[in-house]
Amino acid sequence: MKTLGYYNGDTAEICDMRVPMNDRACWFGDGVYEAALAANGVIFALEDHINRLFRSASMLEIDVPLGKAELKELLVSLLKKVESSVNFVYWQLTRGTADRSHAFPENPKTNLWVTIKPFTMPDLRQKIKLITVEDTRFLHCNIKTLNLLPNVMASEKAKKAGAKEAVFHRAERVTECSHSNIHILKNSVLRTAPADNFILAGITRAHILQCCPVLGIKAEEKAFTITDMMTADEVFISGTTSFCTAADHINGIPVGGRDPGLLKKIQDFLLDKFNKETI
Ligand code: PDD
């Protein structure tokens, strides 16, 4: 198989899959998801992704129909069905299938969706352009839900502006990006927004925070402002697919580029971790 679609036990190429219209993902985006990378049959940071999925599901009272070990086994077995050695692995749980009615259905039976598709590793030497967008999202950004419309709108705005990502801000405070977290380096200190309800606690963000003591970098989980970002030594985003990618322009204004050595140490740490753990 080139790509894989899985729905409650059925598998096929994703374009050949059919799912029930009454799946609550279709009516309400009523579900939670995870996205991970895999190489050589190993799903990177799978434990972290599974734990976050269980946390998200529990916050929305979505029942997880299988145990953590069972889910891991299933994902790894599905990975064996695709040809490519480097893949994007996505899975979501939705609150069952029922006629459209807002409140939870009686005894909902959770649906499990999985898709796996080939992935090309990013070139981390390539810098990206960002734009800023007002963060109009709800107050549950810590839950990895399927409700991503403001993220979709912001991402499209970035694309139209020739940028790679949109940076959300609430007034002066920078929160995160449409599908990644954002961090700055200033005077050799790493600053990242606290893991509160305004951001998704990214797994790549957690890995960056873990690498700081190892690399002798002081890290602060403290909100920063647009001005802090525009005047930082380096500005970079992080996420499962972007790893740790630096920006060179925000809203067309040059930013960062003043601490390339420290930035590269963090990038190398993340890539090494990925390569070592997916052999
Ligand atoms: N997005 N913030 C948001 C809003 C995200 O959607 C993501 C990930 C992140 C970074 O999280 P992590 O390091 O765990 O990937 C932060 C995924 C990749 C997606 O939606 O495809």
Side-chain angles (χ1 to χ4, degrees):
M1 264 186 200
K2 287 198 163 39
T3 63
L4 174 133
Y6 169 99
Y7 186 79
N8 292 342
D10 293 336
T11 52
E13 289 285 346
I14 181 103
C15 56
D16 296 329
M17 288 296 288
R18 295 289 175 270
V19 295
M21 195 165 159
N22 262 344
D23 186 305
R24 283 175 65 95
C26 304
W27 300 132
F28 303 112
D30 190 359
V32 293
Y33 77 102
E34 277 300 325
L37 284 190
N40 310 312
V42 180
I43 302 175
F44 180 59
L46 184 54
E47 183 88 18
D48 297 332
H49 286 283
I50 296 273
N51 287 339
R52 187 171 62 184
L53 181 82
F54 273 70
R55 274 201 309 276
S56 296
S58 131
M59 283 187 273
L60 294 182
E61 298 175 48
I62 291 176
D63 180 51
V64 188
L66 61 186
K68 289 184 179 178
E70 233 182 319
L71 180 55
K72 272 191 219 168
E73 254 174 57
L74 174 68
L75 293 169
V76 172
S77 71
L78 293 176
L79 191 55
K80 292 198 173 84
K81 294 183 187 289
V82 294
E83 291 154 22
S84 167
S85 65
V86 183
N87 291 285
F88 179 73
V89 183
Y90 174 102
W91 65 103
Q92 65 184 30
L93 297 170
T94 65
R95 198 191 310 276
T97 309
D99 284 344
R100 185 179 184 279
S101 174
H102 287 67
F104 301 171
E106 288 295 323
N107 307 314
K109 200 170 159 291
T110 303
N111 296 317
L112 173 59
W113 308 46
V114 184
T115 173
I116 302 180
K117 59 178 190 180
F119 180 78
T120 307
M121 294 289 279
D123 177 1
L124 301 190
R125 289 165 305 180
Q126 208 70 46
K127 298 215 173 174
I128 57 167
K129 295 183 181 13
L130 304 173
I131 60 160
T132 54
V133 173
E134 196 190 339
D135 194 342
T136 56
R137 297 175 303 162
F138 64 177
L139 301 176
H140 307 284
C141 301
N142 52 323
I143 312 174
K144 203 161 170 64
T145 82
L146 303 180
N147 294 120
L148 293 173
L149 211 42
N151 310 57
V152 167
M153 298 301 288
S155 195
E156 177 63 16
K157 198 169 173 187
K159 188 176 163 194
K160 284 205 173 109
K164 195 82 182 159
E165 249 294 24
V167 184
F168 284 129
H169 61 93
R170 292 187 191 253
E172 264 296 295
R173 182 195 154 169
V174 173
T175 53
E176 60 177 336
C177 298
S178 75
H179 55 285
S180 48
N181 292 117
I182 185 158
H183 326 274
I184 57 174
L185 285 174
K186 182 79 180 183
N187 300 328
S188 309
V189 177
L190 179 131
R191 195 94 169 254
T192 191
D196 56 18
N197 61 324
F198 293 118
I199 72 159
L200 178 78
I203 284 162
T204 323
R205 173 187 175 280
H207 293 163
I208 290 173
L209 286 171
Q210 284 161 16
C211 91
C212 283
V214 181
L215 298 175
I217 302 171
K218 186 173 174 226
E220 288 178 350
E221 289 182 74
K222 202 168 137 197
F224 57 86
T225 65
I226 295 177
T227 308
D228 293 329
M229 179 173 73
M230 299 307 290
T231 57
D233 295 335
E234 296 290 351
V235 179
F236 59 100
I237 64 163
S238 73
T240 291
T241 51
S242 54
F243 285 84
C244 171
T245 305
D248 58 3
H249 286 84
I250 301 177
N251 298 334
I253 300 165
V255 293
R258 288 191 287 272
D259 203 345
L262 207 50
L263 173 72
K264 187 162 184 311
K265 277 190 189 173
I266 300 171
Q267 289 178 324
D268 288 349
F269 183 97
L270 290 185
L271 270 186
D272 280 357
K273 183 173 168 65
F274 178 81
N275 289 330
K276 275 191 203 129
E277 293 180 17
T278 57
I279 285 175

